[in-house]
Amino acid sequence: MTGPVSPDISQPELFDLLAGIGRERAGPGGTPPPEPLYDRHGVLVVRVGDVVVKAHQADRGEDPDLGRRVALAGDLPELFAAPLGPPLRVTGGFGERTVTVTAFGEPVHPDDLPWRAAARLLADLHRRPVPPDAPGWGRPARVARLVERLPDGPAAGEVRRAFATLPAWIREGSPDPDPAGEHLIHGDWHLGQMVRLPDGSWRFIDVEDLGRGDPVWDLARPAALHSAGVLRPADWTAFLTSYRAAGGPAVPLLGDPWARLDIPARTLAIQIAATCVISARGTDRPLDEAETALVDACTRISRMVA
Amino acid sequence: MHCPKCRGVMRTYTRSGVHIEQCDNCRGIFLDYGELEALSRLEAQGPGWAAAPPPAAGTPPVQVHHHHGAPVHHHRPYHGGGVFHMLFST
Ligand SMILES: [Zn+2]
């Protein structure tokens, strides 16, 4: 397990409930003890043998389109390790939560990042026909919420100034008024959203933002980290080349892709920088090297646009 | 050489020092993965606000032969706190 594991479960009652759901769904061969995989930001994920049970964030659990997103992923088993059935609603002392059950897959190992496989999987998703009932994706609403929560201080000021350069619809958390293309997109893609099946092939997990949208947003995070100088240049080249070679529609095959990537990359650089500044202040620690690189990127964004 | 799609005549031209074949008739471009990778490396580096590339940009990681075992690629690891969360969490 590579993700953050908390030995102290923040919500023991919810943990026990998820473990119980997992034991019912786990395949034959006995049920190993439940193992917490993720316990942050109001999300709790528990593995029981060959299934993973996830309690979604309370404030996102009421997405009326989640059922359709789950069904959409279920129709693309070669792309998604989709939930094994429709979402469940559970209640208890923790309130009311949405729960999904998924087959367990091996997460990405930090020493062996599958940039090429990830890019091919994204290109494949973006080339699929969009079902007429596909819901819209839910982002980029997160950046405005995070900038709202920024503390005072010089680093936060840099992030705020960069945020002011974004188009109004992003600053207001509105839907894209003029999407460049309508494709199926993952909607919140990063390397934590991939798992490897026993046969070695990769799948997406997390369908909460799956829907119809501009596919360039699925490239936004690596584009932001590359622009901030945090990625190795060869990793960005591998990711972009594999996406282009697989016929991905988000960027042109040749030439400069940054006319398309600039705004999404800026948005994600600002969002990640805001996350870092909030997290560092919350635990009263200085920014580390990579976090500082993201704040520096914000400084360059406002200087370039001013 | 003829276009595999429409049998038109293919012409070679040079773009950023990389040779590519283009069909005179349908304008289709044919290039292999290595050529596409070279063009992506040369033409897709970053937006105006991108960080200056490190001095070793574009060169493969240094190969070091350890006295036993296979060659190992050395590069900056992605483990440390901040960068791990940037790559792996929302
Ligand atoms: Zn032709």
mmCIF file of all heavy atoms in Angstrom, chain A residues 79-107:
data_model
loop_
_atom_site.group_PDB
_atom_site.id
_atom_site.type_symbol
_atom_site.label_atom_id
_atom_site.label_comp_id
_atom_site.label_asym_id
_atom_site.label_seq_id
_atom_site.Cartn_x
_atom_site.Cartn_y
_atom_site.Cartn_z
ATOM 1 N N LEU A 79 -11.741 0.260 -19.430
ATOM 2 C CA LEU A 79 -11.125 1.523 -19.006
ATOM 3 C C LEU A 79 -11.247 1.766 -17.500
ATOM 4 O O LEU A 79 -10.397 2.416 -16.908
ATOM 5 C CB LEU A 79 -11.777 2.705 -19.745
ATOM 6 C CG LEU A 79 -11.670 2.708 -21.269
ATOM 7 C CD1 LEU A 79 -12.384 3.928 -21.840
ATOM 8 C CD2 LEU A 79 -10.219 2.714 -21.706
ATOM 9 N N PHE A 80 -12.328 1.269 -16.897
ATOM 10 C CA PHE A 80 -12.602 1.563 -15.490
ATOM 11 C C PHE A 80 -12.675 0.294 -14.661
ATOM 12 O O PHE A 80 -13.293 -0.683 -15.090
ATOM 13 C CB PHE A 80 -13.941 2.292 -15.338
ATOM 14 C CG PHE A 80 -13.865 3.757 -15.644
ATOM 15 C CD1 PHE A 80 -14.036 4.211 -16.950
ATOM 16 C CD2 PHE A 80 -13.590 4.676 -14.648
ATOM 17 C CE1 PHE A 80 -13.950 5.565 -17.238
ATOM 18 C CE2 PHE A 80 -13.496 6.026 -14.930
ATOM 19 C CZ PHE A 80 -13.683 6.474 -16.234
ATOM 20 N N ALA A 81 -12.068 0.336 -13.471
ATOM 21 C CA ALA A 81 -12.409 -0.626 -12.431
ATOM 22 C C ALA A 81 -13.630 -0.023 -11.746
ATOM 23 O O ALA A 81 -13.516 0.719 -10.774
ATOM 24 C CB ALA A 81 -11.259 -0.798 -11.452
ATOM 25 N N ALA A 82 -14.792 -0.262 -12.327
ATOM 26 C CA ALA A 82 -16.008 0.460 -11.933
ATOM 27 C C ALA A 82 -16.601 -0.148 -10.675
ATOM 28 O O ALA A 82 -16.364 -1.311 -10.363
ATOM 29 C CB ALA A 82 -17.030 0.405 -13.072
ATOM 30 N N PRO A 83 -17.415 0.630 -9.955
ATOM 31 C CA PRO A 83 -18.150 0.070 -8.823
ATOM 32 C C PRO A 83 -18.941 -1.168 -9.242
ATOM 33 O O PRO A 83 -19.441 -1.254 -10.361
ATOM 34 C CB PRO A 83 -19.066 1.218 -8.398
ATOM 35 C CG PRO A 83 -18.307 2.448 -8.782
ATOM 36 C CD PRO A 83 -17.605 2.080 -10.071
ATOM 37 N N LEU A 84 -19.036 -2.134 -8.308
ATOM 38 C CA LEU A 84 -19.639 -3.425 -8.634
ATOM 39 C C LEU A 84 -21.160 -3.368 -8.628
ATOM 40 O O LEU A 84 -21.813 -4.364 -8.862
ATOM 41 C CB LEU A 84 -19.143 -4.483 -7.636
ATOM 42 C CG LEU A 84 -17.614 -4.686 -7.672
ATOM 43 C CD1 LEU A 84 -17.161 -5.595 -6.528
ATOM 44 C CD2 LEU A 84 -17.181 -5.264 -9.015
ATOM 45 N N GLY A 85 -21.731 -2.226 -8.351
ATOM 46 C CA GLY A 85 -23.182 -2.086 -8.372
ATOM 47 C C GLY A 85 -23.508 -0.629 -8.156
ATOM 48 O O GLY A 85 -22.608 0.193 -8.004
ATOM 49 N N PRO A 86 -24.813 -0.309 -8.132
ATOM 50 C CA PRO A 86 -25.181 1.099 -7.909
ATOM 51 C C PRO A 86 -24.720 1.574 -6.528
ATOM 52 O O PRO A 86 -24.520 0.762 -5.625
ATOM 53 C CB PRO A 86 -26.718 1.083 -7.999
ATOM 54 C CG PRO A 86 -27.139 -0.304 -8.287
ATOM 55 C CD PRO A 86 -25.946 -1.196 -8.289
ATOM 56 N N PRO A 87 -24.539 2.898 -6.372
ATOM 57 C CA PRO A 87 -24.117 3.417 -5.061
ATOM 58 C C PRO A 87 -25.144 3.111 -3.977
ATOM 59 O O PRO A 87 -26.349 3.060 -4.241
ATOM 60 C CB PRO A 87 -23.998 4.923 -5.301
ATOM 61 C CG PRO A 87 -24.479 5.200 -6.676
ATOM 62 C CD PRO A 87 -24.672 3.924 -7.398
ATOM 63 N N LEU A 88 -24.660 2.897 -2.752
ATOM 64 C CA LEU A 88 -25.531 2.644 -1.599
ATOM 65 C C LEU A 88 -25.581 3.898 -0.737
ATOM 66 O O LEU A 88 -24.640 4.678 -0.725
ATOM 67 C CB LEU A 88 -24.959 1.503 -0.735
ATOM 68 C CG LEU A 88 -24.391 0.267 -1.425
ATOM 69 C CD1 LEU A 88 -23.552 -0.541 -0.433
ATOM 70 C CD2 LEU A 88 -25.537 -0.568 -1.973
ATOM 71 N N ARG A 89 -26.682 4.071 0.002
ATOM 72 C CA ARG A 89 -26.736 5.137 1.009
ATOM 73 C C ARG A 89 -26.739 4.478 2.381
ATOM 74 O O ARG A 89 -27.507 3.537 2.619
ATOM 75 C CB ARG A 89 -27.997 5.995 0.838
ATOM 76 C CG ARG A 89 -28.002 6.870 -0.388
ATOM 77 C CD ARG A 89 -26.964 7.982 -0.351
ATOM 78 N NE ARG A 89 -27.436 9.187 0.342
ATOM 79 C CZ ARG A 89 -26.657 10.246 0.581
ATOM 80 N NH1 ARG A 89 -25.383 10.230 0.216
ATOM 81 N NH2 ARG A 89 -27.131 11.301 1.192
ATOM 82 N N VAL A 90 -25.870 4.920 3.268
ATOM 83 C CA VAL A 90 -25.829 4.365 4.616
ATOM 84 C C VAL A 90 -25.997 5.511 5.618
ATOM 85 O O VAL A 90 -25.633 6.650 5.338
ATOM 86 C CB VAL A 90 -24.509 3.608 4.889
ATOM 87 C CG1 VAL A 90 -24.345 2.452 3.921
ATOM 88 C CG2 VAL A 90 -23.306 4.538 4.812
ATOM 89 N N THR A 91 -26.535 5.195 6.777
ATOM 90 C CA THR A 91 -26.715 6.213 7.815
ATOM 91 C C THR A 91 -26.203 5.700 9.144
ATOM 92 O O THR A 91 -26.101 4.482 9.366
ATOM 93 C CB THR A 91 -28.200 6.613 8.005
ATOM 94 O OG1 THR A 91 -28.957 5.418 8.158
ATOM 95 C CG2 THR A 91 -28.730 7.408 6.834
ATOM 96 N N GLY A 92 -25.850 6.614 10.017
ATOM 97 C CA GLY A 92 -25.355 6.261 11.347
ATOM 98 C C GLY A 92 -25.013 7.539 12.085
ATOM 99 O O GLY A 92 -25.419 8.632 11.657
ATOM 100 N N GLY A 93 -24.239 7.396 13.168
ATOM 101 C CA GLY A 93 -23.821 8.564 13.935
ATOM 102 C C GLY A 93 -23.014 9.551 13.103
ATOM 103 O O GLY A 93 -22.900 10.719 13.442
ATOM 104 N N PHE A 94 -22.445 9.067 11.985
ATOM 105 C CA PHE A 94 -21.647 9.911 11.077
ATOM 106 C C PHE A 94 -22.529 10.679 10.099
ATOM 107 O O PHE A 94 -22.033 11.418 9.265
ATOM 108 C CB PHE A 94 -20.656 9.030 10.292
ATOM 109 C CG PHE A 94 -21.291 7.788 9.727
ATOM 110 C CD1 PHE A 94 -22.042 7.833 8.555
ATOM 111 C CD2 PHE A 94 -21.164 6.571 10.390
ATOM 112 C CE1 PHE A 94 -22.647 6.701 8.059
ATOM 113 C CE2 PHE A 94 -21.777 5.426 9.888
ATOM 114 C CZ PHE A 94 -22.527 5.496 8.726
ATOM 115 N N GLY A 95 -23.837 10.480 10.160
ATOM 116 C CA GLY A 95 -24.744 11.129 9.215
ATOM 117 C C GLY A 95 -25.095 10.183 8.089
ATOM 118 O O GLY A 95 -25.095 8.958 8.278
ATOM 119 N N GLU A 96 -25.376 10.737 6.927
ATOM 120 C CA GLU A 96 -25.759 9.916 5.783
ATOM 121 C C GLU A 96 -24.637 9.975 4.750
ATOM 122 O O GLU A 96 -24.142 11.055 4.433
ATOM 123 C CB GLU A 96 -27.075 10.432 5.186
ATOM 124 C CG GLU A 96 -27.713 9.429 4.251
ATOM 125 C CD GLU A 96 -29.068 9.890 3.728
ATOM 126 O OE1 GLU A 96 -29.551 10.944 4.174
ATOM 127 O OE2 GLU A 96 -29.613 9.193 2.859
ATOM 128 N N ARG A 97 -24.226 8.825 4.252
ATOM 129 C CA ARG A 97 -23.095 8.798 3.314
ATOM 130 C C ARG A 97 -23.407 7.888 2.128
ATOM 131 O O ARG A 97 -24.167 6.929 2.252
ATOM 132 C CB ARG A 97 -21.823 8.269 4.017
ATOM 133 C CG ARG A 97 -21.414 9.093 5.224
ATOM 134 C CD ARG A 97 -20.880 10.457 4.829
ATOM 135 N NE ARG A 97 -19.595 10.343 4.172
ATOM 136 C CZ ARG A 97 -18.431 10.326 4.820
ATOM 137 N NH1 ARG A 97 -18.393 10.446 6.129
ATOM 138 N NH2 ARG A 97 -17.305 10.226 4.153
ATOM 139 N N THR A 98 -22.761 8.210 0.984
ATOM 140 C CA THR A 98 -22.844 7.358 -0.192
ATOM 141 C C THR A 98 -21.643 6.411 -0.181
ATOM 142 O O THR A 98 -20.521 6.831 0.101
ATOM 143 C CB THR A 98 -22.831 8.203 -1.469
ATOM 144 O OG1 THR A 98 -23.973 9.045 -1.463
ATOM 145 C CG2 THR A 98 -22.855 7.323 -2.716
ATOM 146 N N VAL A 99 -21.894 5.137 -0.490
ATOM 147 C CA VAL A 99 -20.851 4.107 -0.441
ATOM 148 C C VAL A 99 -20.834 3.355 -1.765
ATOM 149 O O VAL A 99 -21.885 3.024 -2.314
ATOM 150 C CB VAL A 99 -21.116 3.127 0.733
ATOM 151 C CG1 VAL A 99 -20.164 1.934 0.675
ATOM 152 C CG2 VAL A 99 -20.983 3.843 2.071
ATOM 153 N N THR A 100 -19.623 3.131 -2.305
ATOM 154 C CA THR A 100 -19.492 2.282 -3.491
ATOM 155 C C THR A 100 -18.483 1.172 -3.209
ATOM 156 O O THR A 100 -17.569 1.338 -2.403
ATOM 157 C CB THR A 100 -19.036 3.079 -4.733
ATOM 158 O OG1 THR A 100 -17.885 3.853 -4.406
ATOM 159 C CG2 THR A 100 -20.132 3.998 -5.243
ATOM 160 N N VAL A 101 -18.678 0.034 -3.885
ATOM 161 C CA VAL A 101 -17.818 -1.139 -3.726
ATOM 162 C C VAL A 101 -17.159 -1.429 -5.071
ATOM 163 O O VAL A 101 -17.838 -1.449 -6.099
ATOM 164 C CB VAL A 101 -18.630 -2.369 -3.261
ATOM 165 C CG1 VAL A 101 -17.707 -3.559 -3.017
ATOM 166 C CG2 VAL A 101 -19.445 -2.041 -2.019
ATOM 167 N N THR A 102 -15.829 -1.600 -5.085
ATOM 168 C CA THR A 102 -15.065 -1.801 -6.312
ATOM 169 C C THR A 102 -14.115 -2.971 -6.109
ATOM 170 O O THR A 102 -13.692 -3.222 -4.977
ATOM 171 C CB THR A 102 -14.241 -0.519 -6.619
ATOM 172 O OG1 THR A 102 -15.101 0.605 -6.547
ATOM 173 C CG2 THR A 102 -13.605 -0.577 -7.990
ATOM 174 N N ALA A 103 -13.777 -3.681 -7.206
ATOM 175 C CA ALA A 103 -12.758 -4.727 -7.112
ATOM 176 C C ALA A 103 -11.414 -4.092 -6.769
ATOM 177 O O ALA A 103 -11.092 -3.011 -7.251
ATOM 178 C CB ALA A 103 -12.660 -5.492 -8.429
ATOM 179 N N PHE A 104 -10.607 -4.773 -5.938
ATOM 180 C CA PHE A 104 -9.298 -4.230 -5.570
ATOM 181 C C PHE A 104 -8.326 -4.309 -6.745
ATOM 182 O O PHE A 104 -8.270 -5.299 -7.457
ATOM 183 C CB PHE A 104 -8.709 -5.010 -4.386
ATOM 184 C CG PHE A 104 -7.310 -4.565 -4.033
ATOM 185 C CD1 PHE A 104 -7.108 -3.382 -3.336
ATOM 186 C CD2 PHE A 104 -6.202 -5.307 -4.445
ATOM 187 C CE1 PHE A 104 -5.815 -2.953 -3.043
ATOM 188 C CE2 PHE A 104 -4.916 -4.878 -4.143
ATOM 189 C CZ PHE A 104 -4.727 -3.703 -3.445
ATOM 190 N N GLY A 105 -7.564 -3.236 -6.957
ATOM 191 C CA GLY A 105 -6.469 -3.248 -7.920
ATOM 192 C C GLY A 105 -5.237 -2.649 -7.262
ATOM 193 O O GLY A 105 -5.343 -1.866 -6.322
ATOM 194 N N GLU A 106 -4.071 -3.023 -7.774
ATOM 195 C CA GLU A 106 -2.813 -2.555 -7.189
ATOM 196 C C GLU A 106 -2.594 -1.079 -7.558
ATOM 197 O O GLU A 106 -2.646 -0.727 -8.734
ATOM 198 C CB GLU A 106 -1.683 -3.416 -7.768
ATOM 199 C CG GLU A 106 -0.438 -3.507 -6.921
ATOM 200 C CD GLU A 106 -0.674 -4.112 -5.541
ATOM 201 O OE1 GLU A 106 -1.270 -5.220 -5.446
ATOM 202 O OE2 GLU A 106 -0.288 -3.465 -4.564
ATOM 203 N N PRO A 107 -2.360 -0.194 -6.570
ATOM 204 C CA PRO A 107 -2.128 1.218 -6.923
ATOM 205 C C PRO A 107 -0.763 1.422 -7.568
ATOM 206 O O PRO A 107 0.092 0.534 -7.549
ATOM 207 C CB PRO A 107 -2.218 1.939 -5.578
ATOM 208 C CG PRO A 107 -1.986 0.905 -4.540
ATOM 209 C CD PRO A 107 -2.368 -0.429 -5.127
#
